[in-house]
Amino acid sequence: MTTALGGLPAVLTAAGPASAVAPADGALGLAWLLVALPLAGAAVLLLTGRRADRWGHLLGTATPVAALVVAVAMWVALLGSSDRVRELELGTWLPGGAFSVDLGMRVDPLSMTFVLLVTFVGSLIHVYSIAYMAHDPHRRRFFAYLNLFVAAMLLLVLADSYVLLFVGWEGVGLASYLLIGFWDHERPNAVAAKKAFVVNRVGDIGLIVAIMAMVAVAGSTDVGVVHEAVGAAGEGWATLIGLMLLLAACGKSAQFPLQSWLGDAMAGPTPVSALIHAATMVTAGVYLVVRSGPVYEAAPTALLVVAVVGAITLLFGAVVGCAKDDIKKVLAASTMSQIGYMMLAAGLGPIGYAFAIFHLLTHGFFKAGLFLGAGSVMHGMGDEVDMRRFGALARYMRVTWVTMALGWLAIIGVPPFSGFWSKDRIVESAFAVAGTWEPWVFGTVALVGVGITAFYMSRLFFMTFHGTRRWDDGTGVVPGGEPTGRVDHPHESPALMTWPMIVLAVGSAALGGALAIRGAFTTWLEPVTGHVEHHEPVLPVVAIMVTTFLLIAVGVVLAWRQYAAAPVAVVPPRGSVLTRAARRDLYQDAVAEAVLMRPGQYLTRSLVFADRQVVDGAVSGVARGTAGAGELLRRLQTGFVRSYALQMVVGIVALVVVVLAVRI
Amino acid sequence: MNLTNYLVLATILFTIGALTVLVRRNAIVVFMGVELMLNAANLAFVTFARMHGDLTGQVVAFFVMVVAAAEVVVGLAIIVAIYRTRRSASVDDVNLLKS
Amino acid sequence: MTTLLASAGAALPVLTSLAETGRTSTGEEVLFWCLAPVMVIAALGLVFARRTVYAAMSVVLVMICLAVLYVAQEAPFLGVVQVIVYTGAVMMLFLFVLMLVGVDAADTFTDALGAHRWISAVLGVGLGAVLVSVVLTAADLAPSGLAAANADGNPVGVARIVFGDFVVTLEVVGILLVTAAVGAIVLTHRERLVRRVRQRERADARVAAGETLTPLPAPGVYARSNAMDVAALGPGGRPLEHSVPRVLRVRGQERSVGEVHAHLGPEAVGSTPPERAITGEEQVR
């Protein structure tokens, strides 16, 4: 530590005017607008109050669209330039003598990809929300929070220093908290928001510690400087920083063991689930890991841990997804699982970075599409979320059915839809990773995950749109079960909701293939991830592919047999041990409660006890002693003037005696 | 004879005055005790003046008398006021200081 | 005033001649030993006298003796002022207030404060002992005399100092006196808060309360003693307690009819005069 600090000025001078990186000019100089526009939107919407109720949603939608326009302009400018890594200096933010933090933005293919994803998907979801939230009295506030979220997310991905990234990181967390608890007049929603906030704080500790370690090692938090310095600082520091960054990523991306908040976060409005818990916020962890690639290069152990965490979460999410009946919770579990894929890919090292981001991009599209589809179904079904109450909806909502079908095919990895191009590469890379046992373990996990994904997503799709009708259409006849007493009139959602779904469905279908042509996306990301030659997988590529297709087919067929061809019970059957465990999120809350909450409560109670008995005891003991002394002295206060005079005389006599004694 | 005798007499008178203040309960008598103490002090002053050959002591005694007169006026007014409200001139009845 | 004081000094040639420079004269010694015991005893009277008036009178005695001692101590001006201010004004004010407050407020010797009296006594003696020992341990008490200071006469010497060094003090004391006078007026002033109760209201109240409407019976049926302290007898031959003045009753100075009867001789022994049966033929008074 001392040596690291001692070497601080040297590092600073070595880092120099932090730029071997080219400055961002032209359209790229507008990067700050990306953050400023939605932020201004949020500020205006929040500050003008109810006066903005009539036009608030329009302004709230306009800002991300404007940001999208700026982002596209920047993208075009970046494509036309040979120097793809740019730095936009906005001034010094925290001048602190030897240590200072610059306010700057890093424009490179990685951040550009995120910017495009966030602004594009974000804009669509804003549009969708106009209709979805049309009847909510607080729609303006909702749009303000959405804008705040977009601004924070863009700041996160554009930041050129980890401290600035942290600001965006926290902003995302705040916006997420506000949006999950948007309907906080219902207690479970407020609790879910609180849970998400607290779990995210645990991850934030990791980021803070990592930043402190960076300051100790590099004397700076600038991304470029840190990456150079960490390589030189030795594996110990790199492992520490890597693991701490992983902790942060786990918190934000709902990875094991900090995954518990994501399921509950579905308490928020559906567009929030689509925007935050599918397309953008939860991907921040993957972004952080990929962005910090050089750190993990210097720390193989940390990298392995990333892969392991990804693998565990992948299976965890998949298993949970198989058992849930709440359509949004299935999608949340699926998100967890898919991000597990991304983490796994990122944990494979440079060969996986590009595929992690690629999958992140395609996932952003199809998962947003699926969520919006789920929102559309709920919209048509009177906010019902239990899939056991759906069934045979395909006839009633054609557009939703088609768009969700495309998203479904994409996520389970059927060629030629997006998911195939990205996920298949991750499976291949998992088999191709260097090591003795790693390729087999990670490869198998990824393969099994593909099969389970196919099963639970098909389950969702079939339970919702096919099979028997399990809701009351007003005739009183419910083929699949007992009437609930509620009559549903499923209908297609308005155009403002369907159009974003259509756009996303097109993306789900075609984006992956388009970007995979001649490895266009990997090449685009090379300035950040570096060029890596692939190892040969331990199994032939063809064998892997065939196995993948077989597993997908098995999963879909199983789901069809169980949930489309056969009747689905309205009341969930008891199920096996595994099913029951999965329904309860594999006892994640119980474990957290037993491992963390109860000991914490006992600790608190014992501290309270100690505080009461020891600290308060001492304090009140002093007080009681004083009071007792006062009680004794009170006896002297008779209220009779003569008593006081007597006391005076006592004093005088004593005084005179003392004077006399001194004189003699 | 030594002038000490005067001082001893003054001391004795002072003590008796103080004792009166302590023992008696009638406010007027207590007040007279105070007057006696003042007079004892005056006697001491006069003796000191003679001892030092300086008339300042007598002047101080003179001022003490004047101040005592003022004090008597106010003190007796207070006693009368209290007597009016409480129908008593006993200092023990004025014990509102006790909670 | 000055001439008066000078004549006062001249009128006491014996006393002034007692004060020699340096030593006290034999005459002064005699005077002192005559007055000192009187003063101490009179002062003790203040502590022990039951009646407030007695206490006040003993204080007057102490003060007059003090005046004499002042004159003996070459302070004739102060001696005269002592007589005028203290015995003439202050003590008379005390007596005046005594009468106002009521002479019946005799002090009892039972004390509500338990051991207070004895602690006070011990402490008082202790205080005296300590102070006396202070005086006795003081060094060099030889008088240097006031012959030089009193060369132009004592009042002149005092006046030089009062209007010289202490002129500001004198002014302040003047303000103090005025303030005290105003204070006394304010303290004893009573704001009239309710309507004045006149004779008519009093009479109405009395009727309303069902009190005796007639004047109270006069005391002193038996004129052979001071009749004020003996209760009158009612129509039934019983003594009427309230016919004796309140002050005498409070002081316990009233006498029962039986006591008076004792003077009548053995044949009249009895607590009350023989009761007569009420026949209904008596004249109504």
Side-chain angles (χ1 to χ4, degrees):
Chain A
M1 190 71 180
T2 330
T3 50
L5 284 176
L8 201 143
V11 171
L12 278 181
T13 41
S19 290
V21 183
D25 46 11
L28 297 178
L30 296 175
W32 63 274
L33 265 181
L34 291 172
V35 180
L37 279 171
L39 195 62
V44 168
L45 291 182
L46 285 178
L47 292 179
T48 47
R50 297 201 168 279
R51 272 159 296 184
D53 272 353
R54 280 194 311 138
W55 44 268
H57 53 284
L58 297 178
L59 176 69
T61 312
T63 52
V65 170
L68 174 63
V69 172
V70 173
V72 170
M74 286 170 62
W75 182 45
V76 171
L78 200 63
L79 279 178
S81 158
S82 56
D83 206 348
R84 295 257 169 105
V85 180
R86 302 294 193 96
E87 192 99 27
L88 175 65
E89 286 299 328
L90 294 172
T92 306
W93 178 28
L94 301 172
F99 169 77
S100 71
V101 178
D102 287 338
L103 199 60
M105 291 182 169
R106 195 182 176 89
V107 183
D108 59 13
L110 179 61
S111 59
M112 209 58 232
T113 307
F114 266 89
V115 165
L116 287 170
L117 174 70
V118 170
T119 51
F120 185 71
V121 177
S123 299
L124 288 178
I125 289 170
H126 275 78
V127 172
Y128 179 92
S129 302
I130 294 178
Y132 189 85
M133 300 294 284
H135 303 299
D136 195 294
H138 300 296
R139 183 164 64 163
R140 171 191 53 79
R141 189 159 58 88
F142 182 75
F143 274 87
Y145 292 162
L146 280 186
N147 272 352
L148 180 64
F149 170 78
V150 169
M153 188 70 198
L154 290 172
L155 181 64
L156 194 165
V157 296
L158 282 168
D160 77 332
S161 68
Y162 281 96
V163 176
L164 195 58
L165 182 147
F166 187 65
V167 174
W169 191 267
E170 289 301 307
V172 165
L174 169 68
S176 163
Y177 167 76
L178 293 171
L179 286 168
I180 294 171
F182 187 72
W183 289 321
D184 57 6
H185 48 84
E186 279 173 34
R187 193 173 165 75
N189 300 351
V191 171
K194 218 163 24 178
K195 185 175 180 185
F197 201 71
V198 169
V199 176
N200 266 292
R201 290 290 80 69
V202 177
D204 294 344
I205 300 283
L207 190 49
I208 291 172
V209 172
I211 289 174
M212 287 191 232
M214 286 168 194
V215 174
V217 171
S220 166
T221 61
D222 186 88
V223 172
V225 178
V226 168
H227 291 170
E228 277 175 33
V230 167
E235 201 184 322
W237 279 109
T239 307
L240 172 70
I241 296 176
L243 287 177
M244 285 299 129
L245 288 176
L246 174 64
L247 179 62
C250 284
K252 201 59 93 193
S253 289
Q255 297 295 292
F256 182 84
L258 298 178
Q259 80 286 5
S260 63
W261 65 272
L262 188 61
D264 293 346
M266 295 303 124
T270 307
V272 172
S273 308
L275 176 62
I276 297 187
H277 307 123
T280 54
M281 170 176 152
V282 289
T283 59
V286 182
Y287 169 81
L288 187 68
V289 172
V290 173
R291 171 59 89 200
S292 310
V295 174
Y296 287 100
E297 265 170 57
T301 320
L303 197 62
L304 185 64
V305 176
V306 172
V308 169
V309 164
I312 293 175
T313 317
L314 188 171
L315 287 179
F316 188 102
V319 170
V320 170
C322 291
K324 290 283 182 185
D325 292 325
D326 181 328
I327 186 168
K328 285 178 74 180
K329 294 217 165 149
V330 176
L331 288 174
S334 138
T335 301
M336 206 188 288
S337 171
Q338 296 304 309
I339 291 173
Y341 268 110
M342 297 171 211
M343 285 302 239
L344 174 62
L348 298 176
I351 58 164
Y353 289 157
F355 301 134
I357 300 300
F358 190 22
H359 191 54
L360 191 156
L361 190 62
T362 56
H363 173 258
F365 274 82
F366 57 66
K367 185 50 67 60
L370 284 168
F371 259 117
L372 294 191
S376 178
V377 170
M378 286 160 58
H379 188 79
M381 291 293 287
D383 283 333
E384 177 65 72
V385 290
D386 188 357
M387 295 193 297
R388 292 184 184 276
R389 283 280 162 203
F390 294 159
L393 285 174
R395 221 149 49 82
Y396 299 90
M397 20 182 95
R398 284 285 169 199
V399 180
T400 309
W401 177 58
V402 172
T403 53
M404 276 193 87
L406 289 174
W408 162 58
L409 292 172
I411 194 173
I412 64 178
V414 173
F417 300 103
S418 288
F420 165 72
W421 301 101
S422 52
K423 203 192 272 181
D424 193 55
R425 291 298 176 79
I426 293 178
V427 178
E428 267 177 43
S429 306
F431 276 110
V433 71
T436 50
W437 54 271
E438 289 97 334
W440 295 103
V441 172
F442 292 145
T444 311
V445 167
L447 265 181
V448 171
V450 168
I452 306 179
T453 307
F455 174 74
Y456 72 75
M457 284 312 296
S458 306
R459 174 176 176 266
L460 180 147
F461 188 71
F462 294 147
M463 274 177 100
T464 306
F465 291 107
H466 298 282
T468 46
R469 176 166 61 84
R470 297 181 296 277
W471 40 273
D472 190 348
D473 62 353
T475 58
V477 182
V478 179
E482 297 299 310
T484 52
R486 198 192 65 202
V487 177
D488 287 308
H489 301 287
H491 55 85
E492 190 51 87
S493 302
L496 271 179
M497 283 169 73
T498 50
W499 275 108
M501 287 155 60
I502 292 167
V503 173
L504 287 171
V506 170
S508 312
L511 187 69
L515 289 178
I517 297 168
R518 288 192 293 151
F521 191 73
T522 22
T523 318
W524 152 255
L525 275 182
E526 248 170 36
V528 179
T529 59
H531 183 73
V532 186
E533 287 303 326
H534 277 233
H535 293 270
E536 272 306 304
V538 289
L539 287 173
V541 175
V542 179
I544 298 172
M545 266 198 167
V546 169
T547 320
T548 312
F549 292 150
L550 272 176
L551 282 170
I552 293 172
V554 168
V556 172
V557 169
L558 273 179
W560 174 265
R561 282 194 48 188
Q562 200 171 342
Y563 296 105
V568 177
V570 174
V571 178
R574 191 172 144 76
S576 66
V577 177
L578 185 63
T579 313
R580 271 175 287 154
R583 277 197 195 124
R584 296 189 53 193
D585 298 312
L586 297 179
Y587 301 116
Q588 60 181 19
D589 290 336
V591 169
E593 201 176 299
V595 175
L596 299 172
M597 195 187 93
R598 298 252 175 256
Q601 280 180 339
Y602 287 131
L603 182 65
T604 313
R605 269 189 219 132
S606 54
L607 284 178
V608 167
F609 180 78
D611 183 57
R612 291 248 171 83
Q613 298 301 316
V614 180
V615 180
D616 286 8
V619 172
S620 54
V622 170
R624 232 172 279 137
T626 314
E631 191 63 35
L632 284 178
L633 288 174
R634 199 178 70 91
R635 302 264 168 80
L636 294 177
Q637 303 294 322
T638 56
F640 291 111
V641 182
R642 289 183 299 146
S643 300
Y644 301 131
L646 185 63
Q647 287 156 26
M648 274 172 69
V649 171
V650 171
I652 291 166
V653 170
L655 197 68
V656 176
V657 166
V658 168
V659 170
L660 209 58
V662 169
R663 278 191 50 188
I664 295 169
Chain B
M1 190 185 80
N2 200 315
L3 287 186
T4 311
N5 293 2
Y6 286 108
L7 292 177
V8 172
L9 177 64
T11 321
I12 292 170
L13 290 180
F14 183 88
T15 309
I16 293 172
L19 205 55
T20 310
V21 172
L22 293 181
V23 176
R24 300 302 294 259
R25 274 172 294 174
N26 188 319
I28 298 170
V29 180
V30 168
F31 214 2
M32 286 194 282
V34 174
E35 292 302 317
L36 190 59
M37 288 161 80
L38 287 170
N39 273 300
N42 276 355
L43 178 59
F45 273 123
V46 171
T47 311
F48 290 142
R50 190 177 178 204
M51 206 180 288
H52 296 292
D54 188 346
L55 284 177
T56 309
Q58 293 186 10
V59 171
V60 171
F62 170 70
F63 280 129
V64 170
M65 283 181 195
V66 179
V67 173
E71 178 222 333
V72 163
V73 169
V74 176
L76 287 177
I78 291 173
I79 289 172
V80 168
I82 290 174
Y83 181 78
R84 271 181 185 166
T85 53
R86 307 184 71 94
R87 278 294 172 218
S88 163
S90 169
V91 288
D92 282 2
D93 289 343
V94 190
N95 59 354
L96 288 179
L97 272 180
K98 191 174 184 180
S99 60
Chain C
M1 187 74 176
T2 320
T3 49
L4 178 77
L5 285 173
S7 62
L12 296 163
V14 182
L15 293 183
T16 44
S17 68
L18 284 175
E20 294 174 8
T21 312
R23 297 286 306 166
T24 52
S25 67
T26 318
E28 189 185 342
E29 200 170 337
V30 171
L31 180 71
F32 178 84
W33 287 116
C34 288
L35 289 182
V38 173
M39 287 168 72
V40 172
I41 290 166
L44 285 174
L46 180 63
V47 182
F48 294 110
R50 274 193 181 228
R51 302 252 166 84
T52 319
V53 181
Y54 294 172
M57 292 321 292
S58 59
V59 172
V60 171
L61 179 58
V62 172
M63 284 175 177
I64 289 173
C65 292
L66 265 178
V68 175
L69 282 187
Y70 288 167
V71 175
Q73 295 230 67
E74 299 174 77
F77 173 72
L78 270 185
V80 173
V81 171
Q82 170 84 6
V83 172
I84 295 170
V85 171
Y86 267 113
T87 48
V90 171
M91 289 321 296
M92 291 312 112
L93 200 56
F94 267 106
L95 286 174
F96 194 70
V97 171
L98 264 179
M99 296 306 162
L100 201 66
V101 168
V103 287
D104 57 312
D107 232 341
T108 55
F109 271 80
T110 52
D111 200 311
L113 283 179
H116 181 271
R117 183 179 304 282
W118 306 113
I119 298 172
S120 301
V122 171
L123 270 172
V125 173
L127 180 67
V130 167
L131 289 178
V132 168
S133 59
V134 168
V135 170
L136 292 179
T137 52
D140 185 25
L141 289 175
S144 45
L146 286 168
N150 279 346
D152 294 336
N154 177 255
V156 177
V158 171
R160 284 212 179 98
I161 295 174
V162 169
F163 296 104
D165 295 346
F166 289 89
V167 69
V168 177
T169 317
L170 186 75
E171 298 296 334
V172 173
V173 166
I175 294 168
L176 178 71
L177 278 173
V178 174
T179 315
V182 173
I185 292 167
V186 170
L187 277 170
T188 52
H189 177 73
R190 262 197 298 192
E191 204 70 44
R192 180 162 293 284
L193 298 172
V194 293
R195 222 173 121 247
R196 187 174 187 142
V197 183
R198 293 178 183 281
Q199 197 175 8
R200 182 177 182 79
E201 285 83 5
R202 278 184 202 279
D204 288 347
R206 236 166 139 170
V207 172
E211 286 176 21
T212 320
L213 296 183
T214 52
L216 291 174
V221 177
Y222 298 97
R224 62 179 59 205
S225 72
N226 182 2
M228 284 294 280
D229 56 358
V230 183
L233 293 180
R238 299 179 189 284
L240 300 171
E241 282 295 322
H242 54 277
S243 63
V244 180
R246 189 181 61 92
V247 173
L248 295 183
R249 268 186 281 147
V250 171
R251 284 179 177 176
Q253 287 178 332
E254 65 177 324
R255 287 192 291 169
S256 69
V257 178
E259 258 179 283
V260 182
H261 265 287
H263 298 289
L264 298 179
E267 74 279 6
V269 171
S271 61
T272 52
E275 292 185 17
R276 290 177 296 173
I278 298 173
T279 60
E281 292 169 2
E282 292 89 356
Q283 276 193 313
V284 177
R285 294 213 305 182

